[in-house]
Amino acid sequence: MKIKFLPLLAVFFAATSIMTSCLDNDVEQITYTSETSITGFSLGTLNINRMGKDKNGLDSPYVDTLDCSNYPFTIDQINRIITNKDSLPVGTHIDKVITSITYDAGMLGYTPKGSDHDTIWTSTDSIDFTDPVEFKVYAYSGVEGKPYKVTINVHKQEPDTISWKKFDTQLFNAGSLSEQKAVYANGKVYVFGKNGNGTHIEYSDVANDNPSPWVPVTDNISLNIDTYSATAWAGNIYFLARGTNDKRLYKLSVTTDKIEPVGTEIFEVLIGGNDTKEELYAVINKISNGVSNSVSHTYKNGVWTEDANSFTLFPVGKPFFSNTTTASYNSDITTTIALCNNPGTTANDTAALVFNRISSDNKWEKRMQNLPLPNLENITMIYYDGKLYAFGGGYKEIKPFSQFYCSTDNGLCWRPVTECMAFPAEVPDPEKPNKEYINFPNLYDTHHGNYSCAVTPKLENETYRGNFIWIVWEDGSICRGRINRLGFTPKW
Protein backbone atom coordinates (compact mmCIF):
# COMPACT_ATOMS: atom_id res chain seq x y z
CA MET A 1 0.00 0.00 0.00
CA LYS A 2 1.35 3.45 -0.89
CA ILE A 3 1.59 6.14 1.73
CA LYS A 4 0.27 8.61 -0.85
CA PHE A 5 -3.15 7.70 0.69
CA LEU A 6 -1.91 8.51 4.18
CA PRO A 7 -3.03 12.21 4.24
CA LEU A 8 -6.59 10.97 3.70
CA LEU A 9 -6.17 8.54 6.56
CA ALA A 10 -4.79 11.31 8.75
CA VAL A 11 -7.85 13.47 8.00
CA PHE A 12 -10.02 10.49 8.88
CA PHE A 13 -8.24 10.12 12.24
CA ALA A 14 -8.75 13.81 12.97
CA ALA A 15 -12.41 13.71 11.94
CA THR A 16 -13.00 10.68 14.14
CA SER A 17 -11.66 12.64 17.09
CA ILE A 18 -14.00 15.58 16.40
CA MET A 19 -17.05 13.37 15.83
CA THR A 20 -16.47 11.52 19.04
CA SER A 21 -16.39 14.74 21.00
CA CYS A 22 -19.65 16.03 19.45
CA LEU A 23 -21.89 12.98 19.94
CA ASP A 24 -22.42 13.39 23.61
CA ASN A 25 -21.11 15.77 26.20
CA ASP A 26 -20.54 12.79 28.48
CA VAL A 27 -18.13 11.14 26.05
CA GLU A 28 -14.50 11.86 26.93
CA GLN A 29 -12.65 13.66 24.14
CA ILE A 30 -9.72 11.72 22.65
CA THR A 31 -6.54 13.65 21.86
CA TYR A 32 -4.05 11.91 19.58
CA THR A 33 -0.32 12.27 20.15
CA SER A 34 1.86 14.13 17.71
CA GLU A 35 5.05 12.31 18.71
CA THR A 36 6.87 10.93 15.66
CA SER A 37 9.98 9.24 17.04
CA ILE A 38 11.51 5.88 16.24
CA THR A 39 12.54 4.42 19.57
CA GLY A 40 14.06 1.07 18.62
CA PHE A 41 15.66 -0.62 15.60
CA SER A 42 17.08 -4.12 15.17
CA LEU A 43 17.71 -6.73 12.50
CA GLY A 44 16.62 -10.30 12.06
CA THR A 45 18.46 -13.24 10.50
CA LEU A 46 20.48 -12.36 7.40
CA ASN A 47 22.36 -14.36 4.81
CA ILE A 48 26.15 -14.27 4.76
CA ASN A 49 28.80 -15.56 2.36
CA ARG A 50 31.05 -18.24 3.86
CA MET A 51 34.01 -20.26 2.65
CA GLY A 52 34.21 -23.93 3.52
CA LYS A 53 35.76 -27.15 2.29
CA ASP A 54 34.11 -29.52 -0.14
CA LYS A 55 34.37 -33.30 0.01
CA ASN A 56 37.70 -33.09 -1.83
CA GLY A 57 39.17 -30.67 0.71
CA LEU A 58 39.06 -27.71 -1.70
CA ASP A 59 37.78 -24.22 -0.83
CA SER A 60 34.09 -23.97 -1.63
CA PRO A 61 31.89 -20.88 -1.14
CA TYR A 62 28.41 -21.23 0.32
CA VAL A 63 25.69 -19.04 1.83
CA ASP A 64 24.97 -19.32 5.55
CA THR A 65 22.62 -17.48 7.92
CA LEU A 66 23.60 -15.06 10.67
CA ASP A 67 21.51 -13.91 13.63
CA CYS A 68 21.97 -10.13 13.65
CA SER A 69 19.47 -9.32 16.39
CA ASN A 70 22.24 -8.60 18.93
CA TYR A 71 24.00 -5.97 16.82
CA PRO A 72 23.16 -2.66 18.55
CA PHE A 73 21.93 0.30 16.54
CA THR A 74 22.44 3.87 17.70
CA ILE A 75 19.53 6.28 17.25
CA ASP A 76 20.57 9.92 16.98
CA GLN A 77 17.27 11.65 17.76
CA ILE A 78 18.61 15.14 17.09
CA ASN A 79 19.93 14.45 13.59
CA ARG A 80 17.51 11.58 12.94
CA ILE A 81 20.22 9.09 12.01
CA ILE A 82 20.14 5.36 12.82
CA THR A 83 23.24 3.21 12.27
CA ASN A 84 25.26 0.32 13.66
CA LYS A 85 28.73 1.39 14.79
CA ASP A 86 29.74 -2.24 15.12
CA SER A 87 29.72 -3.25 11.45
CA LEU A 88 28.25 -6.55 10.33
CA PRO A 89 30.74 -9.20 9.19
CA VAL A 90 32.12 -8.98 5.67
CA GLY A 91 29.92 -10.79 3.17
CA THR A 92 26.61 -10.13 5.00
CA HIS A 93 23.71 -9.67 2.59
CA ILE A 94 21.76 -6.46 3.25
CA ASP A 95 19.62 -6.44 0.11
CA LYS A 96 16.80 -8.42 1.77
CA VAL A 97 16.56 -7.39 5.40
CA ILE A 98 13.79 -8.09 7.91
CA THR A 99 13.66 -5.38 10.59
CA SER A 100 12.08 -4.92 14.00
CA ILE A 101 11.17 -1.30 14.69
CA THR A 102 9.40 0.40 17.59
CA TYR A 103 7.98 3.89 17.23
CA ASP A 104 5.41 6.29 18.64
CA ALA A 105 1.70 5.70 17.95
CA GLY A 106 0.66 6.04 14.34
CA MET A 107 2.09 4.45 11.24
CA LEU A 108 5.62 4.00 9.93
CA GLY A 109 6.52 4.58 6.32
CA TYR A 110 9.71 4.17 4.30
CA THR A 111 10.93 4.81 0.79
CA PRO A 112 12.00 1.59 -0.95
CA LYS A 113 15.09 1.64 -3.14
CA GLY A 114 14.22 2.86 -6.64
CA SER A 115 10.88 4.34 -5.58
CA ASP A 116 9.74 7.94 -5.12
CA HIS A 117 6.77 7.04 -2.90
CA ASP A 118 6.59 6.01 0.72
CA THR A 119 5.26 2.58 1.66
CA ILE A 120 3.71 1.51 4.94
CA TRP A 121 6.22 -0.60 6.87
CA THR A 122 5.30 -4.03 8.22
CA SER A 123 7.47 -6.38 10.23
CA THR A 124 7.52 -8.88 7.35
CA ASP A 125 8.89 -6.46 4.74
CA SER A 126 12.15 -7.48 3.08
CA ILE A 127 14.00 -4.20 2.55
CA ASP A 128 17.08 -3.41 0.44
CA PHE A 129 19.64 -1.52 2.59
CA THR A 130 22.51 -1.46 0.11
CA ASP A 131 21.87 2.30 0.15
CA PRO A 132 20.56 4.25 3.17
CA VAL A 133 16.78 4.05 3.60
CA GLU A 134 14.56 6.82 4.99
CA PHE A 135 11.81 6.06 7.52
CA LYS A 136 9.26 8.46 8.97
CA VAL A 137 6.48 8.19 11.53
CA TYR A 138 2.99 9.48 10.70
CA ALA A 139 1.14 10.35 13.91
CA TYR A 140 -2.60 9.77 14.30
CA SER A 141 -2.92 13.52 14.86
CA GLY A 142 -1.93 14.05 11.23
CA VAL A 143 1.62 15.18 11.96
CA GLU A 144 4.22 13.85 9.52
CA GLY A 145 7.50 13.19 11.29
CA LYS A 146 10.91 14.30 10.09
CA PRO A 147 12.54 11.34 8.28
CA TYR A 148 15.19 9.10 9.84
CA LYS A 149 18.07 7.99 7.64
CA VAL A 150 18.94 4.35 8.38
CA THR A 151 22.35 2.99 7.33
CA ILE A 152 23.52 -0.58 7.87
CA ASN A 153 27.31 -0.80 7.97
CA VAL A 154 29.07 -3.95 6.73
CA HIS A 155 32.81 -4.54 6.94
CA LYS A 156 34.49 -4.28 3.56
CA GLN A 157 37.51 -6.30 4.78
CA GLU A 158 37.87 -9.61 6.58
CA PRO A 159 38.78 -8.41 10.12
CA ASP A 160 41.38 -11.08 10.88
CA THR A 161 43.07 -11.06 7.47
CA ILE A 162 46.29 -9.15 6.95
CA SER A 163 46.41 -6.66 4.05
CA TRP A 164 49.63 -5.64 2.33
CA LYS A 165 50.80 -2.62 0.39
CA LYS A 166 54.15 -2.10 -1.36
CA PHE A 167 56.12 1.17 -1.53
CA ASP A 168 58.62 1.22 -4.40
CA THR A 169 59.80 4.83 -4.35
CA GLN A 170 61.56 4.77 -0.95
CA LEU A 171 65.04 3.53 -1.87
CA PHE A 172 68.20 3.55 0.27
CA ASN A 173 70.66 6.37 -0.29
CA ALA A 174 73.52 3.90 0.22
CA GLY A 175 72.30 1.50 -2.46
CA SER A 176 71.55 -2.13 -1.70
CA LEU A 177 72.08 -3.16 1.92
CA SER A 178 72.80 -6.69 3.09
CA GLU A 179 73.03 -8.12 6.64
CA GLN A 180 70.11 -5.94 7.64
CA LYS A 181 68.50 -5.44 11.03
CA ALA A 182 65.52 -3.09 11.41
CA VAL A 183 64.25 -1.57 14.67
CA TYR A 184 61.42 0.81 15.46
CA ALA A 185 61.92 3.84 17.70
CA ASN A 186 60.36 7.29 18.07
CA GLY A 187 58.06 6.98 15.07
CA LYS A 188 60.82 5.81 12.74
CA VAL A 189 62.03 2.55 11.26
CA TYR A 190 65.84 2.37 11.43
CA VAL A 191 67.72 -0.07 9.21
CA PHE A 192 71.32 -1.11 9.89
CA GLY A 193 73.02 -2.74 6.91
CA LYS A 194 76.16 -3.27 4.87
CA ASN A 195 77.10 -2.22 1.37
CA GLY A 196 80.41 -3.73 0.36
CA ASN A 197 82.82 -3.12 3.21
CA GLY A 198 80.89 -0.14 4.58
CA THR A 199 78.17 -0.11 7.23
CA HIS A 200 75.20 2.22 7.03
CA ILE A 201 72.24 3.40 9.11
CA GLU A 202 69.17 4.91 7.46
CA TYR A 203 65.70 5.66 8.79
CA SER A 204 62.23 6.34 7.43
CA ASP A 205 59.63 8.32 9.35
CA VAL A 206 56.44 6.23 9.62
CA ALA A 207 54.65 8.28 12.26
CA ASN A 208 51.73 8.96 9.92
CA ASP A 209 51.54 5.29 8.85
CA ASN A 210 53.27 6.00 5.54
CA PRO A 211 57.04 5.80 5.00
CA SER A 212 59.02 8.94 4.23
CA PRO A 213 62.13 8.86 2.00
CA TRP A 214 65.13 7.23 3.70
CA VAL A 215 67.44 9.55 5.65
CA PRO A 216 71.04 8.46 6.34
CA VAL A 217 72.58 8.75 9.81
CA THR A 218 76.05 10.18 9.24
CA ASP A 219 77.39 10.72 12.75
CA ASN A 220 80.33 8.32 13.37
CA ILE A 221 79.27 6.29 10.36
CA SER A 222 82.88 5.23 9.84
CA LEU A 223 82.36 2.75 12.68
CA ASN A 224 82.52 -0.89 11.63
CA ILE A 225 79.03 -1.67 12.95
CA ASP A 226 77.80 -5.12 13.82
CA THR A 227 74.52 -4.48 12.00
CA TYR A 228 72.87 -7.57 13.45
CA SER A 229 73.28 -6.18 16.98
CA ALA A 230 70.91 -3.19 16.63
CA THR A 231 68.48 -3.15 19.56
CA ALA A 232 65.83 -0.59 20.54
CA TRP A 233 65.90 -0.13 24.30
CA ALA A 234 65.03 2.61 26.81
CA GLY A 235 63.97 5.04 24.08
CA ASN A 236 67.18 4.80 22.04
CA ILE A 237 69.02 2.30 19.84
CA TYR A 238 72.04 0.36 21.07
CA PHE A 239 74.49 -1.54 18.89
CA LEU A 240 77.98 -2.98 18.79
CA ALA A 241 80.81 -1.66 16.64
CA ARG A 242 84.11 -3.35 16.07
CA GLY A 243 87.38 -1.59 16.76
CA THR A 244 90.77 -3.03 15.95
CA ASN A 245 90.28 -6.26 17.86
CA ASP A 246 87.06 -5.93 19.82
CA LYS A 247 83.41 -4.87 19.89
CA ARG A 248 82.24 -1.96 22.01
CA LEU A 249 78.74 -0.72 22.87
CA TYR A 250 77.33 2.46 21.29
CA LYS A 251 74.08 4.38 21.65
CA LEU A 252 72.22 6.15 18.84
CA SER A 253 69.95 8.96 20.04
CA VAL A 254 66.70 8.81 18.09
CA THR A 255 66.08 12.53 18.68
CA THR A 256 69.46 13.93 17.62
CA ASP A 257 70.92 11.09 15.49
CA LYS A 258 74.11 11.38 17.54
CA ILE A 259 76.17 8.29 18.30
CA GLU A 260 78.20 7.95 21.48
CA PRO A 261 80.11 5.11 23.18
CA VAL A 262 78.74 3.43 26.30
CA GLY A 263 81.38 2.05 28.68
CA THR A 264 84.56 0.20 27.79
CA GLU A 265 83.46 -3.44 27.98
CA ILE A 266 84.33 -5.84 25.17
CA PHE A 267 81.28 -7.64 23.75
CA GLU A 268 80.52 -10.75 21.78
CA VAL A 269 76.73 -10.49 21.34
CA LEU A 270 73.99 -7.98 22.14
CA ILE A 271 70.87 -10.03 22.89
CA GLY A 272 68.09 -7.51 23.56
CA GLY A 273 66.40 -5.40 26.18
CA ASN A 274 63.70 -5.62 28.83
CA ASP A 275 62.08 -2.20 29.18
CA THR A 276 59.80 -3.40 31.97
CA LYS A 277 62.76 -4.29 34.20
CA GLU A 278 65.01 -1.59 32.67
CA GLU A 279 67.59 -4.24 31.77
CA LEU A 280 69.76 -4.84 28.71
CA TYR A 281 71.22 -8.29 27.98
CA ALA A 282 74.51 -9.16 26.29
CA VAL A 283 77.44 -11.53 26.19
CA ILE A 284 80.64 -9.84 27.40
CA ASN A 285 84.11 -11.14 26.76
CA LYS A 286 85.52 -11.30 30.27
CA ILE A 287 89.27 -11.87 30.50
CA SER A 288 90.61 -13.38 33.71
CA ASN A 289 94.26 -14.34 34.15
CA GLY A 290 94.77 -14.04 30.42
CA VAL A 291 91.87 -16.40 29.66
CA SER A 292 88.96 -15.13 27.56
CA ASN A 293 85.54 -16.22 28.82
CA SER A 294 82.38 -14.93 27.09
CA VAL A 295 79.43 -15.09 29.48
CA SER A 296 76.00 -13.46 29.82
CA HIS A 297 75.70 -10.10 31.57
CA THR A 298 72.88 -7.75 32.54
CA TYR A 299 73.02 -3.95 32.25
CA LYS A 300 71.00 -2.05 34.84
CA ASN A 301 71.40 1.42 36.34
CA GLY A 302 74.49 2.02 34.22
CA VAL A 303 76.38 -1.07 35.42
CA TRP A 304 77.09 -4.41 33.71
CA THR A 305 76.81 -7.37 36.07
CA GLU A 306 77.71 -10.96 35.28
CA ASP A 307 74.71 -13.27 35.70
CA ALA A 308 74.91 -15.46 38.78
CA ASN A 309 74.10 -18.42 36.54
CA SER A 310 76.02 -17.26 33.49
CA PHE A 311 75.07 -18.57 30.06
CA THR A 312 77.53 -19.20 27.24
CA LEU A 313 75.52 -20.87 24.45
CA PHE A 314 74.51 -17.78 22.47
CA PRO A 315 75.94 -18.09 18.92
CA VAL A 316 78.03 -15.21 17.57
CA GLY A 317 77.39 -13.47 14.26
CA LYS A 318 73.64 -13.96 14.19
CA PRO A 319 70.82 -11.39 14.45
CA PHE A 320 68.88 -11.84 17.69
CA PHE A 321 65.22 -10.95 18.04
CA SER A 322 63.83 -10.58 21.53
CA ASN A 323 60.56 -9.74 23.22
CA THR A 324 59.47 -9.32 26.83
CA THR A 325 56.00 -10.00 28.22
CA THR A 326 54.59 -9.67 31.73
CA ALA A 327 53.16 -12.72 33.46
CA SER A 328 49.36 -12.67 33.62
CA TYR A 329 49.40 -14.00 37.18
CA ASN A 330 52.04 -11.60 38.54
CA SER A 331 52.86 -8.19 37.06
CA ASP A 332 56.28 -8.24 38.73
CA ILE A 333 57.45 -11.24 36.70
CA THR A 334 58.53 -10.94 33.07
CA THR A 335 59.61 -13.47 30.47
CA THR A 336 62.08 -12.48 27.77
CA ILE A 337 62.31 -14.64 24.65
CA ALA A 338 65.32 -14.41 22.32
CA LEU A 339 65.48 -16.17 18.96
CA CYS A 340 68.04 -16.67 16.18
CA ASN A 341 68.92 -19.00 13.36
CA ASN A 342 70.75 -22.15 14.39
CA PRO A 343 74.29 -22.06 12.93
CA GLY A 344 74.91 -25.73 13.72
CA THR A 345 75.75 -28.19 10.97
CA THR A 346 74.65 -31.51 12.48
CA ALA A 347 71.58 -33.45 11.39
CA ASN A 348 69.87 -32.51 14.65
CA ASP A 349 70.08 -28.77 13.96
CA THR A 350 66.65 -28.60 12.33
CA ALA A 351 65.05 -26.04 14.67
CA ALA A 352 65.78 -22.38 15.25
CA LEU A 353 67.33 -21.49 18.60
CA VAL A 354 64.99 -20.10 21.24
CA PHE A 355 66.18 -18.84 24.63
CA ASN A 356 64.12 -17.66 27.57
CA ARG A 357 64.78 -15.65 30.71
CA ILE A 358 62.30 -15.37 33.59
CA SER A 359 62.95 -12.31 35.73
CA SER A 360 62.32 -14.20 38.98
CA ASP A 361 65.14 -16.64 38.08
CA ASN A 362 67.55 -14.07 36.59
CA LYS A 363 69.08 -16.60 34.24
CA TRP A 364 68.98 -17.65 30.60
CA GLU A 365 67.99 -21.12 29.44
CA LYS A 366 67.79 -22.76 26.07
CA ARG A 367 64.11 -23.26 25.32
CA MET A 368 63.13 -26.89 24.76
CA GLN A 369 60.44 -26.58 22.10
CA ASN A 370 57.53 -29.02 22.10
CA LEU A 371 56.60 -27.98 18.56
CA PRO A 372 59.91 -26.69 17.17
CA LEU A 373 60.26 -23.71 14.89
CA PRO A 374 61.97 -24.77 11.64
CA ASN A 375 65.50 -23.42 11.24
CA LEU A 376 64.51 -20.91 8.58
CA GLU A 377 67.18 -19.00 6.70
CA ASN A 378 67.43 -15.32 7.73
CA ILE A 379 64.77 -15.89 10.35
CA THR A 380 62.88 -12.99 11.96
CA MET A 381 60.71 -12.89 15.08
CA ILE A 382 58.16 -10.17 15.83
CA TYR A 383 55.63 -9.58 18.60
CA TYR A 384 52.32 -8.69 16.96
CA ASP A 385 48.67 -8.72 18.03
CA GLY A 386 49.64 -10.26 21.37
CA LYS A 387 51.50 -13.21 19.84
CA LEU A 388 55.00 -14.15 18.73
CA TYR A 389 55.38 -14.66 14.99
CA ALA A 390 58.41 -15.94 13.10
CA PHE A 391 59.12 -16.13 9.38
CA GLY A 392 61.98 -15.97 6.93
CA GLY A 393 63.71 -17.76 4.08
CA GLY A 394 63.34 -21.36 3.12
CA TYR A 395 64.38 -24.53 4.89
CA LYS A 396 64.38 -27.92 3.16
CA GLU A 397 60.93 -28.25 1.55
CA ILE A 398 59.69 -24.98 3.11
CA LYS A 399 59.67 -22.11 0.60
CA PRO A 400 60.83 -18.58 1.56
CA PHE A 401 58.08 -16.39 3.00
CA SER A 402 55.56 -19.18 2.54
CA GLN A 403 53.93 -18.71 5.95
CA PHE A 404 54.08 -17.34 9.46
CA TYR A 405 54.78 -19.50 12.49
CA CYS A 406 52.95 -18.44 15.65
CA SER A 407 53.60 -19.05 19.35
CA THR A 408 51.22 -18.11 22.14
CA ASP A 409 53.22 -19.76 24.94
CA ASN A 410 56.52 -17.86 24.90
CA GLY A 411 58.22 -19.95 22.24
CA LEU A 412 57.37 -23.38 23.60
CA CYS A 413 55.22 -24.38 20.61
CA TRP A 414 55.32 -22.94 17.08
CA ARG A 415 52.40 -23.64 14.79
CA PRO A 416 52.26 -22.74 11.09
CA VAL A 417 49.57 -20.20 10.25
CA THR A 418 47.71 -21.18 7.11
CA GLU A 419 44.89 -18.63 7.06
CA CYS A 420 44.41 -14.88 7.58
CA MET A 421 47.91 -14.00 8.90
CA ALA A 422 49.75 -14.95 5.74
CA PHE A 423 52.18 -14.09 2.95
CA PRO A 424 50.07 -14.95 -0.09
CA ALA A 425 52.13 -15.75 -3.17
CA GLU A 426 50.05 -13.29 -5.19
CA VAL A 427 48.45 -10.28 -3.52
CA PRO A 428 46.89 -7.61 -5.76
CA ASP A 429 48.32 -4.21 -4.86
CA PRO A 430 45.32 -1.85 -4.42
CA GLU A 431 47.45 1.14 -5.35
CA LYS A 432 48.46 -0.25 -8.75
CA PRO A 433 45.86 0.35 -11.50
CA ASN A 434 47.36 -2.41 -13.65
CA LYS A 435 46.74 -4.92 -10.86
CA GLU A 436 50.36 -5.74 -10.15
CA TYR A 437 50.85 -8.44 -7.55
CA ILE A 438 52.91 -8.51 -4.37
CA ASN A 439 54.71 -11.85 -4.48
CA PHE A 440 56.72 -12.35 -1.28
CA PRO A 441 58.70 -15.44 -2.31
CA ASN A 442 59.76 -13.66 -5.51
CA LEU A 443 60.70 -10.52 -3.58
CA TYR A 444 62.87 -12.60 -1.26
CA ASP A 445 64.68 -14.17 -4.20
CA THR A 446 64.95 -10.91 -6.14
CA HIS A 447 66.60 -9.22 -3.16
CA HIS A 448 68.98 -12.13 -2.54
CA GLY A 449 67.44 -12.93 0.83
CA ASN A 450 68.32 -9.47 2.17
CA TYR A 451 65.50 -7.95 4.20
CA SER A 452 64.66 -6.73 7.68
CA CYS A 453 61.48 -6.18 9.63
CA ALA A 454 60.13 -3.87 12.35
CA VAL A 455 56.69 -3.40 13.91
CA THR A 456 54.91 -0.16 14.68
CA PRO A 457 53.21 -0.52 18.07
CA LYS A 458 49.66 0.63 18.65
CA LEU A 459 49.87 4.39 18.95
CA GLU A 460 48.71 5.75 22.30
CA ASN A 461 45.24 7.30 22.24
CA GLU A 462 44.92 6.39 18.53
CA THR A 463 43.73 2.80 18.62
CA TYR A 464 43.06 2.60 14.88
CA ARG A 465 46.56 3.75 13.88
CA GLY A 466 49.90 1.99 14.08
CA ASN A 467 50.00 -1.80 14.38
CA PHE A 468 51.87 -2.10 11.08
CA ILE A 469 54.47 -4.66 10.04
CA TRP A 470 57.24 -3.08 7.94
CA ILE A 471 59.33 -5.39 5.76
CA VAL A 472 62.29 -3.57 4.22
CA TRP A 473 63.98 -5.12 1.21
CA GLU A 474 67.56 -4.92 -0.04
CA ASP A 475 67.02 -1.74 -2.08
CA GLY A 476 64.94 0.09 0.54
CA SER A 477 61.52 -0.69 -0.95
CA ILE A 478 58.95 -1.55 1.70
CA CYS A 479 55.98 -3.87 2.18
CA ARG A 480 53.55 -2.67 4.84
CA GLY A 481 51.05 -5.07 6.39
CA ARG A 482 48.39 -4.92 9.08
CA ILE A 483 45.57 -7.12 10.34
CA ASN A 484 42.47 -5.30 9.13
CA ARG A 485 40.63 -5.14 12.46
CA LEU A 486 43.62 -3.37 14.06
CA GLY A 487 42.99 -0.47 11.70
CA PHE A 488 39.24 -0.17 12.20
CA THR A 489 38.04 3.12 13.63
CA PRO A 490 37.00 2.77 17.31
CA LYS A 491 33.32 1.87 17.62
CA TRP A 492 32.45 3.94 20.68
Side-chain angles (χ1 to χ4, degrees):
M1 175 182 177
K2 301 296 184 183
I3 289 295
K4 58 185 178 181
F5 300 118
L6 188 59
L8 181 60
L9 294 173
V11 171
F12 173 76
F13 291 146
T16 302
S17 176
I18 296 173
M19 290 169 60
T20 303
S21 63
C22 295
L23 288 175
D24 195 313
N25 290 335
D26 294 332
V27 177
E28 183 178 352
Q29 183 175 354
I30 300 174
T31 302
Y32 293 100
T33 178
S34 295
E35 296 294 328
T36 58
S37 297
I38 292 177
T39 56
F41 186 95
S42 63
L43 305 178
T45 298
L46 305 183
N47 290 330
I48 181 171
N49 295 331
R50 303 282 196 190
M51 184 65 71
K53 299 289 184 182
D54 61 18
K55 63 181 180 180
N56 298 317
L58 301 177
D59 289 343
S60 177
Y62 67 98
V63 177
D64 196 4
T65 56
L66 177 69
D67 181 7
C68 296
S69 59
N70 291 326
Y71 278 83
F73 277 76
T74 299
I75 302 178
D76 181 347
Q77 296 290 5
I78 296 177
N79 298 303
R80 298 260 168 161
I81 294 174
I82 302 175
T83 188
N84 56 319
K85 293 184 177 180
D86 187 1
S87 297
L88 302 180
V90 63
T92 303
H93 297 193
I94 57 171
D95 56 338
K96 296 177 180 179
V97 178
I98 303 296
T99 57
S100 177
I101 307 173
T102 57
Y103 53 94
D104 294 325
M107 287 184 294
L108 181 66
Y110 69 95
T111 306
K113 185 176 181 179
S115 174
D116 58 357
H117 295 293
D118 286 354
T119 296
I120 295 177
W121 172 84
T122 68
S123 60
T124 59
D125 285 354
S126 180
I127 304 174
D128 186 348
F129 279 95
T130 52
D131 292 318
V133 177
E134 285 195 347
F135 286 78
K136 63 178 69 171
V137 177
Y138 294 85
Y140 288 141
S141 66
V143 173
E144 177 182 321
K146 183 180 177 182
Y148 287 80
K149 183 169 131 178
V150 180
T151 302
I152 298 179
N153 294 315
V154 180
H155 281 304
K156 300 295 189 291
Q157 298 174 313
E158 190 67 48
D160 291 316
T161 297
I162 190 168
S163 296
W164 295 95
K165 179 179 178 181
K166 191 169 186 290
F167 299 86
D168 293 314
T169 58
Q170 285 76 7
L171 301 179
F172 288 132
N173 295 274
S176 297
L177 296 182
S178 62
E179 299 185 35
Q180 288 186 22
K181 178 82 179 288
V183 294
Y184 171 85
N186 194 35
K188 305 169 187 173
V189 172
Y190 287 80
V191 173
F192 290 64
K194 292 185 178 181
N195 184 338
N197 295 324
T199 54
H200 303 269
I201 308 172
E202 299 198 23
Y203 67 83
S204 174
D205 192 323
V206 297
N208 67 350
D209 290 344
N210 288 288
S212 69
W214 291 101
V215 177
V217 175
T218 57
D219 187 46
N220 275 329
I221 202 59
S222 59
L223 293 168
N224 184 12
I225 299 171
D226 175 1
T227 56
Y228 287 152
S229 66
T231 299
W233 178 70
N236 292 294
I237 299 174
Y238 290 78
F239 62 91
L240 304 180
R242 186 180 297 278
T244 305
N245 296 307
D246 53 46
K247 291 182 183 178
R248 302 297 176 99
L249 183 65
Y250 290 82
K251 180 179 75 172
L252 167 63
S253 169
V254 297
T255 56
T256 65
D257 289 345
K258 295 297 182 182
I259 296 174
E260 60 183 20
V262 181
T264 60
E265 291 80 7
I266 300 173
F267 291 81
E268 290 289 345
V269 180
L270 190 59
I271 303 300
N274 180 341
D275 283 326
T276 303
K277 295 296 182 180
E278 299 180 344
E279 296 175 345
L280 187 63
Y281 307 122
V283 175
I284 293 181
N285 191 347
K286 184 177 181 182
I287 300 176
S288 178
N289 298 322
V291 178
S292 177
N293 186 24
S294 298
V295 295
S296 60
H297 282 66
T298 299
Y299 183 75
K300 189 176 181 68
N301 298 325
V303 178
W304 284 101
T305 304
E306 182 179 339
D307 291 340
N309 297 288
S310 57
F311 194 79
T312 61
L313 298 181
F314 293 115
V316 179
K318 292 288 180 180
F320 276 84
F321 303 91
S322 66
N323 180 74
T324 298
T325 55
T326 301
S328 59
Y329 56 87
N330 190 331
S331 60
D332 291 330
I333 298 177
T334 62
T335 299
T336 301
I337 299 298
L339 177 146
C340 72
N341 175 265
N342 191 339
T345 57
T346 69
N348 294 327
D349 297 324
T350 60
L353 294 176
V354 179
F355 306 94
N356 71 292
R357 181 188 182 97
I358 300 177
S359 60
S360 57
D361 296 337
N362 285 320
K363 65 178 181 180
W364 286 99
E365 294 179 329
K366 183 179 177 181
R367 191 66 146 157
M368 302 306 295
Q369 305 169 61
N370 290 343
L371 289 177
L373 174 64
N375 194 30
L376 302 174
E377 179 185 44
N378 300 328
I379 196 168
T380 293
M381 183 184 77
I382 59 173
Y383 184 74
Y384 187 69
D385 191 32
K387 308 175 186 70
L388 289 175
Y389 287 97
F391 59 91
Y395 179 73
K396 295 185 177 180
E397 72 280 0
I398 301 173
K399 301 297 183 183
F401 274 75
S402 58
Q403 60 192 17
F404 283 93
Y405 292 83
C406 178
S407 175
T408 57
D409 52 13
N410 288 320
L412 183 64
C413 297
W414 296 88
R415 293 176 173 84
V417 182
T418 57
E419 297 179 354
C420 297
M421 187 78 175
F423 294 112
E426 290 188 341
V427 182
D429 190 332
E431 300 297 318
K432 303 295 177 61
N434 57 352
K435 296 183 179 179
E436 292 182 15
Y437 286 87
I438 304 173
N439 187 308
F440 285 93
N442 282 356
L443 284 170
Y444 182 83
D445 292 338
T446 300
H447 294 288
H448 311 101
N450 294 314
Y451 79 97
S452 54
C453 179
V455 174
T456 308
K458 181 177 70 176
L459 301 184
E460 188 176 356
N461 299 324
E462 296 187 56
T463 54
Y464 61 97
R465 296 189 57 211
N467 288 305
F468 279 111
I469 300 171
W470 304 88
I471 297 177
V472 183
W473 300 103
E474 181 182 49
D475 59 356
S477 58
I478 298 172
C479 285
R480 186 192 70 185
R482 180 169 65 182
I483 294 177
N484 292 326
R485 61 178 162 75
L486 299 181
F488 290 165
T489 303
K491 302 181 184 70
W492 309 107

